[in-house]
Amino acid sequence: MRAYDLAEPYPYVTTDDDALDAARLLAENSLPALLVLDTDGLPHAIVPGSQLLRQLVPSYAIDDPLLASSVGDRVDAEITERLAGLTVAEWVPRRLFPPPYAGPDATPMEVAALMARTHSPLVAVVERDGSGRVQLLGTVTAARLVRYFLVRLGQPGTDEG
C-alpha cells in the first residue's frame, strides 16, 4: 500500500478565501486541521486546529491561565473581530505552518514519520505531472494511518476501507 491508496478527499480553503469562512469550515466539519491551498492549487499550509486557536485567542489569555479563566464573554467578540476582513493567507502565514506533503508512492511508514516529525494531523499527497505541475490527490490523516496499522496487526473491529 502507498500514500495514494491511503489518501482521502479532504475539505480545503485557498489563501484568498475569507478567514471567517475557513474557521466555519473547520468547525462545521470537525476537522483536525485546516488544509490551505494557494491560488495554483498547491498546498500552502496545514494548520492544526490548536494552532488556529492560538492565532485567535489573545496572547494574555494564553500566557496567564488564571487571567483566561476570568476573562468572560467579552473576548468572544474580540475573537470574531480578529477574523473579520482577513483572508486565510493573512490569518495563517505559511512560514509558521509549512505543509507536510508526500508523493503518491510514499510508504505508510514514510507518511507516518513525516506526520510525527512535523506534528501535523494530516499529510497532503501530491503528484507532479510531466510538465512539473503539482496536483493534490488527497490527504492522509492520522486516524487513517492508525486504522491502516491496526488492520496490519490483525486487530478486530478495524476496517481498512
Side-chain angles (χ1 to χ4, degrees):
M1 183 158 298
R2 299 295 178 178
Y4 178 80
D5 303 310
L6 293 168
E8 301 171 314
Y10 193 88
Y12 62 86
V13 295
T14 69
T15 52
D16 291 338
D17 286 339
D18 182 76
L20 195 52
D21 291 340
R24 281 191 194 104
L25 177 75
L26 181 89
E28 291 170 0
N29 291 284
S30 299
L31 300 175
L34 190 63
L35 172 59
V36 182
L37 303 182
D38 67 17
T39 54
D40 293 326
L42 303 174
H44 175 80
I46 294 176
V47 190
S50 61
Q51 296 308 303
L52 291 171
L53 285 172
R54 186 174 190 75
Q55 299 290 97
L56 290 176
V57 174
S59 59
Y60 61 82
I62 294 170
D63 296 338
D64 187 347
L66 185 58
L67 185 57
S69 68
S70 65
V71 169
D73 294 338
R74 71 178 186 273
V75 174
D76 296 346
E78 186 178 331
I79 288 173
T80 304
E81 286 174 18
R82 285 177 180 246
L83 289 176
L86 290 180
T87 65
V88 171
E90 293 166 330
W91 180 31
V92 290
R94 178 189 172 130
R95 63 181 168 69
L96 298 179
F97 310 102
Y101 58 89
D105 292 328
T107 66
M109 189 58 68
E110 287 174 301
V111 175
L114 175 59
M115 196 176 285
R117 242 186 346 269
T118 60
H119 304 279
S120 177
L122 60 114
V123 169
V125 178
V126 298
E127 182 174 49
R128 290 190 188 277
D129 65 17
S131 66
R133 287 185 48 120
V134 176
Q135 176 186 359
L136 176 69
L137 301 177
T139 64
V140 179
T141 63
R144 178 69 176 104
L145 276 173
V146 169
R147 190 166 63 240
Y148 168 79
F149 288 127
L150 288 175
V151 166
R152 300 280 296 169
L153 292 172
Q155 295 298 306
T158 56
D159 178 14
E160 194 171 345

